[in-house]
Amino acid sequence: KTNIYLIAKAYDKEYSVDSDDPSQDDSIEFFISNSGKSTGKKFHFIFKRLSVNKSNKFDGTERTEKGTGIVVKGDKSIQLPYEMKSKFDGYEISATIAWKQLGISPAVKKKLRMDLIVNDDDDGGDREARLGWNTRKSQPSTKDLGMILMSGR
């Protein structure tokens, strides 16, 4: 009841983590709004894939590394720790976000807006693909996010 837990897995054998902008590399973006309305406050989390080794190739060793995600709150950004697990077929990111940080009090039947986007860059430079759960926009507004209804189960 105090945290939201985010776990996302990307199936991607080609590693690329060479850009200053994490949305142009292999990364996972998570958008959440503290309201079910299209006017709610939107939070944007970016979790960059961590480099496996200098060649950016998977060396056969599954490992867990800790990183710091970028959280964009309007014109401010804060750091959010996360874990990235390298796998033979891609990577998995897990993070814990306090509801309090989002200004949300979880309750049954409360509505939120949310989206999850996976960015893919296979050869350096700009990303080649972007896959979204609800939207394809690179900078979605709150109304572009999918609706989530909290349940008591």
Side-chain angles (χ1 to χ4, degrees):
K1 291 187 179 188
T2 59
N3 299 310
I4 182 171
Y5 301 95
L6 172 66
I7 298 175
K9 182 169 183 175
Y11 294 95
D12 180 15
K13 292 183 178 183
E14 300 295 326
Y15 288 57
S16 184
V17 288
D18 63 341
S19 302
D20 290 333
D21 178 358
S23 70
Q24 293 300 320
D25 281 330
D26 291 343
S27 61
I28 293 177
E29 297 181 70
F30 178 60
F31 294 88
I32 186 169
S33 171
N34 61 1
S35 169
K37 299 177 182 171
S38 61
T39 56
K41 188 174 184 180
K42 181 181 75 174
F43 296 86
H44 178 197
F45 300 84
I46 304 174
F47 303 99
K48 184 174 183 174
R49 182 179 199 167
L50 302 174
S51 181
V52 173
N53 55 42
K54 290 183 181 179
S55 70
N56 281 340
K57 299 288 182 196
F58 184 70
D59 61 8
T61 305
E62 293 192 6
R63 59 173 61 88
T64 300
E65 300 176 71
K66 295 186 185 294
T68 304
I70 302 166
V71 184
V72 181
K73 295 169 94 175
D75 59 353
K76 295 183 194 174
S77 64
I78 60 172
Q79 303 297 308
L80 180 77
Y82 69 96
E83 284 189 355
M84 192 273 299
K85 293 180 182 176
S86 298
K87 306 266 187 179
F88 73 95
D89 60 352
Y91 62 103
E92 184 177 288
I93 287 177
S94 61
T96 302
I97 306 162
W99 285 115
K100 191 175 183 177
Q101 277 186 295
L102 304 174
I104 297 173
S105 299
V108 175
K109 295 186 181 179
K110 183 170 183 74
K111 293 179 182 177
L112 304 173
R113 289 183 173 264
M114 200 177 296
D115 204 357
L116 184 79
I117 294 173
V118 177
N119 296 302
D120 181 34
D121 179 18
D122 291 335
D123 58 6
D126 290 344
R127 69 176 173 252
E128 279 74 50
R130 179 177 178 90
L131 178 64
W133 169 66
N134 193 67
T135 185
R136 293 180 185 214
K137 294 182 180 180
S138 59
Q139 294 297 323
S141 68
T142 304
K143 69 180 180 179
D144 298 321
L145 306 180
M147 183 70 69
I148 302 291
L149 177 65
M150 291 184 168
S151 75
R153 296 179 194 190

